[in-house]
């Protein structure tokens, strides 16, 4: 039996690492239990204490939690603070101005160090430039930028003047960008000429121009452009301005706008099971508190010695909480990377860890799985070929990590010295929720273990009753927590229905994931989404969103989208399509499948492209006309159909749809 097989069979428990346990912020299970007990005993006292200890308040809050308009909760509402002051100024004031805030490595390997003092200057100048353009407290600013210091500066500058940013991932299409600009009611857009990924320049400004031209965003008065590559771009006089030009004559100081803790720090769009993406609205005080607190707890980050690296993009929540806000809020040094893990070769991550002496490394299972494959094919890019001895903590996020990948990560990247911290959380939760603690929790591969102190997570059945350990159910959080979303932007009804459904009693936060707790330890294992949301490479995609994109194509009559497990990306998108004309065969079907993939990339973004497209003359429907998605899921997986198909109107269709394109 191989080492991995025995781990899987025994559900082997890995002790918390000897390298971290003694000096950890939360050292040992007793310390964890004591903090959890404090939260149980005096919930508001616990959160109030953390908020006072962790953040700098211009005006202290007098009330911790307001539940009078539940589920619209308010935290620390009469307290005033500024996120950018907390993330930058206070470290400079404490004498750490010369410390590196960001060590930026570009796609081509060029490294730029940005100290806290540099960051302060750049944020102030840009914030002043935004103010000069009339951007003010409460305005929404959309940021469509590559991984860049400029991205962090733009976000922090918005926070400094009380503007609410909404970052749109640089891989989204002009249509997706347009929808977000319109929904959020943006007054300004910050973008770049192009982005560099894997040695290639990809357009951004031209996509942004298209998005703006598509209508509905007349409120966007300013388009500010970061010059990344110097590539040629179209220019609209009076609207467009270069970032480097507008900051030139600005002052190095900028008085922060002190805002209520409840002031919206950002809105970040994420896919839901129905309709258009939801604008998840986060608060200033709550988000910042938890981003900072979890840096200290989950990552055990010690600003004086650690070098933290989160590989996520700033276009996702992970980049918000664990690049822009968390590491800076605690005054840590972090590595930020522009490129992709496979360029110039699949050893890039390991090379960068060695080069920058990274101590805490946070990435996604999908990246780990693709790097396992690459290192099997080429020993030169195997982590063991690099000096990774600086590492002390490894984190993972975005999807369930399969135990095989966990063990590989533990043994090969950490060299069996570093705990693997499997963090379960979501765009909506703002920060980590269920996760091991490096110095305390015994680890079980594939389990995110236990909720953090103060997080009242549990598993319930469809009526909201808690189920016993060992029984699967629906993952919920029983009490509000500071970094939770505050609303779905402009749609409070959707907020209530999606996250606090009446079926569960209206007060439980519904995460949308299935989970089971271990009989003995109570450890959580996440079993994936229970709604029509797919998780591809750690990114959420609504099946309905992809279906609507497909049916918008003039060739398509009907489409149904499901997920199937994929070795690298976790899940893959499979689309079942009925064309308006007859079912294509052979080369023609390959050609149309490719056309439809390109179409989806244009409508949503390349991440949503179906891996398989299958054409049928029809979709499997019941006599009442309902598409039988269960059957489609089995077909997508290549399983034999064992389900009862007697209610199916057209059983013959199943043969046609079994064929992948
Ligand atoms: O299904 C869960 C999965 O990712 C979803 C949240 O996606 P998103 O909002 O895009 O945020 C991703 C980064 C926080 C969850 O509902 N998920 C995330 N982390 C894990 C996970 N599933 C299992 N284990 C995890 N550690």
């Amino acid at each position: 039996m191989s080492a991995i097989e025995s781990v899987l069979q025994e559900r082997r428990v890995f002790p918390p690492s000897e390298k971290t346990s003694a000096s950890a912020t939360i050292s040992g299970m007793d310390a964890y239990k004591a903090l959890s007990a404090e939260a149980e005993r005096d919930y508001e006292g616990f959160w109030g204490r953390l908020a006072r200890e962790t953040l700098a308040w211009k005006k202290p809050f007098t009330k911790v939690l307001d539940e009078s308009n539940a589920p619209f909760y308010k935290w620390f509402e009469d307290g005033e603070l500024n996120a950018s002051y907390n993330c930058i100024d206070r470290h400079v004031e404490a004498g750490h101005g010369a410390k590196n805030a960001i060590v930026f490595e570009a796609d081509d390997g060029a490294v730029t160090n940005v100290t806290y003092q540099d960051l302060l200057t750049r944020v102030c100048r840009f914030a002043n430039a935004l103010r000069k353009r009339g951007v003010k407290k409460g305005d929404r600013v959309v940021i469509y930028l590559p991984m860049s210091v400029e991205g962090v500066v733009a976000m922090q500058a918005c926070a400094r003047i009380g503007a609410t940013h909404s970052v749109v991932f640089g891989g989204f299409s002009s249509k997706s960008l347009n929808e977000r600009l319109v929904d959020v009611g943006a007054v300004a857009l910050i973008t770049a000429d192009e982005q560099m990924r894997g040695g290639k320049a990809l357009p951004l400004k031209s996509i942004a121009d298209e998005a703006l031209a598509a209508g509905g965003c007349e409120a966007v008065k300013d388009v500010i452009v970061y010059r990344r590559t110097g590539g040629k771009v179209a220019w609209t006089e009076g609207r467009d301005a270069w970032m480097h030009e507008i900051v030139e004559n600005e002052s190095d100081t900028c008085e922060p706008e002190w805002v209520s803790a409840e002031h919206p720090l950002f809105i970040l769009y994420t896919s839901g099971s129905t309709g258009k993406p939801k604008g998840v609205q986060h608060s200033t005080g709550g988000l910042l508190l938890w981003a900072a607190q979890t840096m200290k707890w989950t990552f055990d980050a010690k600003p004086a010695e650690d070098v933290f690296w989160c590989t996520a993009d700033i276009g996702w929540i992970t980049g918000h909480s664990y690049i822009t806000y968390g590491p800076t809020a605690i005054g840590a040094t972090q590595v930020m990377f522009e490129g992709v893990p496979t360029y110039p070769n699949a050893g890039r991550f390991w090379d960068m860890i060695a080069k920058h002496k990274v101590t805490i490394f946070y990435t996604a299972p999908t990246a780990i799985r693709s790097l396992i494959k690459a290192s099997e094919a080429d020993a030169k890019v195997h982590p063991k070929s690099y000096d990774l001895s600086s590492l002390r903590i490894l984190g993972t996020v975005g999807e369930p990590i399969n135990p095989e990948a966990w063990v590989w990560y533990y043994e090969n990247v950490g060299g069996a010295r570093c705990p693997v911290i499997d963090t379960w959380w979501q765009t909506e939760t703002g920060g980590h929720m269920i996760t091991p603690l490096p110095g305390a929790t015994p680890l079980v591969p594939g389990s995110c273990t236990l909720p953090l102190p103060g997080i009242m997570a549990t598993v319930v059945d469809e009526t909201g009753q808690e189920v016993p350990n060992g029984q699967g159910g629906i993952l919920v959080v029983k009490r509000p927590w500071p970094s939770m979303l505050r609303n779905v932007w402009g749609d409070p009804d959707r907020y209530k229905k999606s996250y606090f459904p009446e079926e569960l009693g209206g007060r439980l936060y519904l995460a949308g994931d299935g989970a089971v707790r271990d009989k003995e330890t109570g450890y959580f294992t996440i079993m994936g989404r229970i709604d029509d949301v797919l998780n591809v490479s750690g990114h959420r995609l609504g099946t309905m969103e992809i279906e609507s994109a497909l049916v918008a194509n003039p060739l398509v009559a009907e489409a149904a989208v499901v997920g199937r497990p994929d070795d690298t990306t976790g899940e893959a998108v499979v689309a079942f399509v009925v064309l308006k004309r007859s079912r294509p065969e052979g080369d023609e079907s390959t050609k149309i499948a490719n056309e439809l993939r390109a179409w989806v990339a244009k409508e949503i973004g390349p991440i949503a492209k179906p891996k398989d497209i299958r054409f049928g003359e029809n979709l499997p429907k019941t006599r009442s006309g309902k598409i039988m998605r269960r059957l489609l899921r089995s077909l997508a997986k290549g399983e034999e159909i064992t389900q009862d198909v007697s209610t199916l109107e057209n059983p013959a269709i199943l043969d046609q749809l079994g064929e992948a394109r």
Side-chain angles (χ1 to χ4, degrees):
M1 201 188 299
S2 75
I4 290 182
E5 278 167 355
S6 73
V7 167
L8 300 185
Q9 276 212 345
E10 295 162 25
R11 289 287 270 173
R12 195 166 103 205
V13 176
F14 291 71
S17 155
E18 74 279 5
K19 236 192 148 178
T20 42
S21 52
S23 58
T25 315
I26 299 182
S27 177
M29 282 308 271
D30 288 347
Y32 163 75
K33 283 184 190 146
L35 274 167
S36 302
E38 183 194 338
E40 293 272 359
R41 213 173 37 240
D42 176 11
Y43 199 62
E44 292 192 28
F46 168 83
W47 286 114
R49 175 175 75 76
L50 295 183
R52 275 185 289 270
E53 286 173 7
T54 306
L55 300 179
W57 296 85
K58 180 74 172 173
K59 177 171 165 246
F61 52 88
T62 60
K63 190 172 167 53
V64 172
L65 171 62
D66 177 358
E67 299 187 82
S68 58
N69 189 25
F72 298 92
Y73 301 101
K74 294 194 162 120
W75 287 89
F76 322 117
E77 195 189 7
D78 65 348
E80 284 179 11
L81 77 172
N82 179 279
S84 134
Y85 176 84
N86 267 275
C87 294
I88 313 172
D89 305 47
R90 64 167 164 159
H91 309 309
V92 175
E93 286 167 12
H96 303 305
K99 183 184 162 75
N100 278 339
I102 301 175
V103 175
F104 181 80
E105 182 162 320
D107 194 52
D108 66 1
V111 175
T112 314
N113 290 327
V114 181
T115 65
Y116 274 95
Q117 179 61 60
D118 296 336
L119 192 59
L120 180 61
T121 308
R122 291 178 66 168
V123 167
C124 286
R125 285 172 163 245
F126 193 53
N128 287 329
L130 286 175
R131 268 194 183 143
K132 193 169 276 172
R133 287 176 157 64
V135 179
K136 55 184 192 311
K137 180 177 166 187
D139 283 347
R140 275 84 57 208
V141 174
V142 167
I143 298 177
Y144 185 60
L145 281 173
M147 280 296 279
S148 53
V149 174
E150 285 68 14
V152 175
V153 167
M155 292 163 85
Q156 290 279 356
C158 287
R160 193 162 193 94
I161 61 172
T164 299
H165 61 69
S166 186
V167 183
V168 177
F169 173 58
F172 276 122
S173 67
S174 64
K175 184 146 185 276
S176 297
L177 176 59
N178 171 268
E179 274 167 15
R180 287 157 175 77
L181 283 162
V182 173
D183 192 80
V184 87
V187 301
L189 170 64
I190 304 168
T191 187
D193 51 358
E194 295 178 310
Q195 55 183 329
M196 285 303 297
R197 288 172 70 78
K200 281 194 234 98
L202 304 165
L204 277 178
K205 171 70 163 64
S206 62
I207 299 177
D209 285 336
E210 243 177 81
L212 290 165
C217 9
E218 290 69 29
V220 178
K221 295 283 176 269
D222 290 277
V223 176
I224 299 167
V225 188
Y226 157 47
R227 186 150 78 193
R228 169 60 186 91
T229 63
K232 237 175 109 110
V233 290
W235 208 251
T236 303
E237 285 305 329
R239 184 196 74 178
D240 299 355
W242 288 110
M243 196 174 192
H244 62 272
E245 286 180 3
I246 61 171
V247 297
E248 227 165 69
N249 297 318
E250 289 300 338
S251 156
D252 289 351
T253 59
C254 171
E255 176 63 15
E257 182 84 38
W258 305 103
V259 298
S260 153
E262 276 299 313
H263 183 70
L265 179 61
F266 62 79
I267 295 158
L268 182 60
Y269 284 82
T270 189
S271 295
S273 44
T274 50
K276 57 180 185 143
K278 298 180 274 204
V280 170
Q281 179 187 324
H282 276 291
S283 74
T284 303
L287 190 288
L288 200 62
L289 165 61
W290 204 224
Q293 196 66 54
T294 49
M295 281 301 297
K296 294 185 197 170
W297 283 356
T298 315
F299 292 128
D300 188 39
K302 310 266 198 303
E305 54 231 56
D306 278 310
V307 177
F308 177 75
W309 181 19
C310 165
T311 69
D313 192 284
I314 51 166
W316 309 113
I317 189 69
T318 312
H320 283 59
S321 298
Y322 298 107
I323 294 178
T324 302
Y325 293 112
T328 54
I330 64 160
T333 294
Q334 68 175 316
V335 171
M336 189 177 180
F337 177 42
E338 180 181 40
V340 298
T342 47
Y343 178 82
N345 61 46
R348 184 70 183 264
F349 275 2
W350 324 131
D351 179 57
M352 283 182 59
I353 291 171
K355 180 153 121 196
H356 301 295
K357 303 217 169 3
V358 171
T359 60
I360 307 168
F361 179 62
Y362 192 34
T363 196
T366 185
I368 299 168
R369 286 191 296 265
S370 70
L371 297 177
I372 294 176
K373 271 198 197 153
S375 68
E376 279 166 358
D378 178 2
K380 282 203 295 298
V381 299
H382 194 282
K384 291 217 156 136
S385 305
Y386 298 79
D387 176 10
L388 305 183
S389 58
S390 57
L391 286 170
R392 66 182 195 94
I393 288 165
L394 299 173
T396 131
V397 61
E399 50 172 314
I401 179 163
N402 48 314
E404 291 86 346
W406 193 105
V407 172
W408 184 90
Y409 194 31
Y410 179 80
E411 289 182 342
N412 295 288
V413 180
R417 298 168 297 111
C418 313
V420 172
I421 305 299
D422 177 357
T423 61
W424 177 87
W425 59 296
Q426 310 177 294
T427 304
E428 293 87 342
T429 72
H432 302 152
M433 299 292 281
I434 310 181
T435 172
L437 293 163
T441 324
L443 307 165
V444 172
S447 167
C448 53
T449 74
L450 296 168
L452 285 167
I455 301 299
M456 309 301 181
T458 192
V459 182
V460 299
D461 64 17
E462 273 107 42
T463 64
Q465 295 301 307
E466 278 186 60
V467 300
N469 286 356
Q471 197 176 309
I474 302 169
L475 180 61
V476 296
V477 186
K478 290 189 285 187
R479 298 221 57 190
W481 66 101
S483 68
M484 66 190 290
L485 80 163
R486 294 300 191 268
N487 209 342
V488 170
W489 181 253
D491 199 347
D493 216 41
R494 194 167 176 202
Y495 166 82
K496 274 216 262 199
K497 286 201 181 110
S498 310
Y499 300 112
F500 297 91
E502 285 304 328
E503 296 85 322
L504 298 181
R507 288 294 175 272
L508 296 175
Y509 168 80
L510 174 69
D513 280 343
V516 61
R517 302 188 68 167
D518 184 83
K519 271 204 177 113
E520 274 114 61
T521 57
Y523 276 18
F524 287 74
T525 293
I526 306 296
M527 300 187 302
R529 301 288 307 186
I530 51 169
D531 50 13
D532 288 326
V533 173
L534 306 181
N535 189 321
V536 179
S537 298
H539 302 311
R540 264 159 72 171
L541 294 167
T543 53
M544 304 289 269
E545 230 179 308
I546 309 176
E547 284 171 15
S548 347
L550 282 166
V551 294
N553 184 288
L555 293 175
V556 176
E558 259 191 301
V561 167
V562 299
R564 74 159 158 71
D566 183 274
D567 277 355
T568 308
T569 57
E571 271 189 297
V573 178
V574 181
F576 295 89
V577 173
V578 181
L579 296 182
K580 285 179 188 155
R581 60 184 193 213
S582 62
R583 177 173 178 262
E585 288 188 27
D587 287 351
E588 206 206 346
S589 80
T590 314
K591 189 171 147 266
I592 298 180
N594 287 337
E595 261 175 56
L596 293 181
R597 278 193 194 98
W599 172 269
V600 172
K602 188 112 185 66
E603 289 283 298
I604 304 175
I607 46 169
K609 277 201 278 195
K611 187 153 184 179
D612 284 356
I613 297 188
R614 302 181 184 190
F615 296 104
E617 274 151 24
N618 213 326
L619 294 173
K621 289 184 188 157
T622 60
R623 288 194 192 102
S624 58
K626 206 164 135 29
I627 296 174
M628 292 184 73
R629 284 172 189 276
R630 250 181 329 111
L631 285 181
L632 292 179
R633 277 187 213 108
S634 300
L635 284 173
K637 284 189 216 156
E639 286 172 357
E640 226 173 286
I641 303 290
T642 52
Q643 292 106 320
D644 178 16
V645 292
S646 56
T647 54
L648 206 60
E649 194 183 75
N650 46 359
I653 214 73
L654 297 179
D655 288 340
Q656 277 186 359
L657 293 170
E659 230 179 284
R661 280 288 134 217

